[in-house]
Amino acid sequence: MPDRRRVLQTLAGLFLSAFGLGSYAYAWEPAHQGVTRYRLKPADWPEGKSLRLAAISDLHVGGPHVPVSRVREIVDLTNLLRPDLILLLGDFIASRPKRPDDPPEAAWAAELTRLQAPHGRFAILGNHDWWHDDRAQRDYRGPTEVRLALEAVGIPVLENDALRLETKAGPLWVAGLGDQLAFLRPRRGQRRGIHDLAGTLAKIDDDAPVILMAHEPDIFARVPARVSLTLSGHTHGGQVRILGWSPIVPSHYGNRYAYGHVVERGRNLIVSGGVGTSKLPIRLGVPPEIVLVELG
């Protein structure tokens, strides 16, 4: 039978290990930005052509790890990557209730307007960008405060819309889906989301490649092969990820669309782990990231 000293030493070791791991998950990993790189060639991508996409998701500005100064750092790092196109995948707002000391939308939007890419910067909204807006929730319609802030600094917000761009890789469609969880308490007969996948894709009228931005990745189960690449956020990779598995994922599909590059029936999805945190202010095994995609 173990003596009392050995038991106490074991308990102390377990406590210190748990304390150290918790400190790492709260103070270290969420504050250390990385770049996650992917290289892929969709089936319909033109031969010999390349394009570099940068994607930023789930900033959650005003949360415990993302003051406006952190947004400035992320913008600077993204510009150093020299992307051809920058896509912002939603959830600009902190996940907690509003507070009087929250940074104004204009402050972080002004930082995002410094993003530089020859083929432009485009955004979609996430669920928290809708949930934070009392007027939008009450009236069951936009535009949200976040959308107005982005458009005020010249960043187009695509909600069930598609734009055709002329890029160095040839013509390209950038499409943005309305949020799938826009309303916290939908009225009877009211949909929870404003997403319209069929209506968005109906605006594409030629065979140029299509990049689809969809904040929540669950829609990917319905995305047709016509779409070259779907980019999503929302899950934060589960925020805790152990050996490629996340115990909690805000998705109907669990770990299927939790994080990273997913290939199904020849279709490509990349789910960003995002930057900020939601609900619990921790990250473990899924550090904050800017996603860089080399197409071609």
Side-chain angles (χ1 to χ4, degrees):
M1 184 173 182
D3 60 30
R4 183 171 179 271
R5 174 177 292 183
R6 182 167 297 179
V7 170
L8 290 176
Q9 287 175 338
T10 300
L11 291 175
L14 290 172
F15 172 79
L16 291 173
S17 297
F19 178 79
L21 189 63
S23 298
Y24 172 86
Y26 175 79
W28 178 264
E29 187 167 306
H32 286 75
Q33 193 70 37
V35 178
T36 303
R37 300 170 186 262
Y38 300 93
R39 184 183 295 274
L40 63 144
K41 184 179 181 296
D44 60 350
W45 196 258
E47 289 293 335
K49 302 292 185 179
S50 63
L51 198 72
R52 177 177 288 199
L53 311 179
I56 302 170
S57 186
D58 297 277
L59 284 167
H60 290 295
V61 184
H65 302 103
V66 190
V68 173
S69 59
R70 175 89 179 275
V71 180
R72 185 177 307 123
E73 295 170 0
I74 290 167
V75 168
D76 291 340
L77 177 55
T78 304
N79 287 338
L80 287 174
L81 298 173
R82 297 185 175 277
D84 300 306
L85 181 65
I86 297 175
L87 303 177
L88 305 173
L89 303 178
D91 270 5
F92 300 89
I93 295 293
S95 63
R96 52 163 174 71
K98 286 184 179 180
R99 295 195 317 218
D101 61 344
D102 279 344
E105 284 87 356
W108 53 257
E111 293 298 336
L112 292 176
T113 199
R114 297 191 303 107
L115 289 166
Q116 300 171 5
H119 299 313
R121 311 150 303 181
F122 301 92
I124 57 172
L125 302 182
N127 54 304
H128 288 286
D129 303 323
W130 279 89
W131 294 358
H132 234 253
D133 194 314
D134 293 337
R135 198 278 314 156
Q137 292 297 309
R138 183 182 65 247
D139 296 346
Y140 285 86
R141 62 181 177 85
T144 64
E145 295 172 356
V146 170
R147 176 172 185 163
L148 294 174
L150 290 166
E151 292 180 338
V153 296
I155 298 177
V157 176
L158 302 180
E159 283 188 320
N160 300 321
D161 205 357
L163 292 176
R164 190 179 190 273
L165 307 178
E166 292 294 337
T167 76
K168 69 176 192 177
L172 174 73
W173 288 92
V174 175
L177 196 65
D179 190 70
Q180 300 158 61
L181 302 172
F183 303 117
L184 273 167
R185 299 175 183 86
R187 299 168 183 162
R188 182 175 297 178
Q190 175 79 34
R191 298 174 63 208
R192 186 168 187 192
I194 63 164
H195 55 292
D196 182 0
L197 180 62
T200 302
L201 298 182
K203 298 179 180 182
I204 296 167
D205 59 9
D206 64 21
D207 60 356
V210 179
I211 307 298
L212 175 66
M213 296 184 287
H215 179 69
E216 294 90 0
D218 284 15
I219 196 69
F220 184 65
R222 296 169 43 205
V223 171
R226 172 70 183 87
V227 174
S228 308
L229 172 64
T230 302
L231 290 167
S232 295
H234 182 64
T235 66
H236 300 216
Q239 284 189 197
V240 173
R241 195 162 176 83
I242 303 166
L243 300 177
W245 177 78
S246 303
I248 300 175
V249 183
S251 165
H252 291 303
Y253 296 95
N255 274 266
R256 178 175 168 184
Y257 301 146
Y259 177 72
H261 184 196
V262 178
V263 181
E264 289 186 353
R265 302 191 306 277
R267 303 166 305 138
N268 290 281
L269 167 69
I270 292 177
V271 182
S272 170
V275 173
T277 57
S278 181
K279 308 299 183 186
L280 293 176
I282 61 170
R283 281 181 175 269
L284 182 63
V286 55
E289 64 182 13
I290 298 165
V291 168
L292 187 69
V293 185
E294 302 272 2
L295 288 169

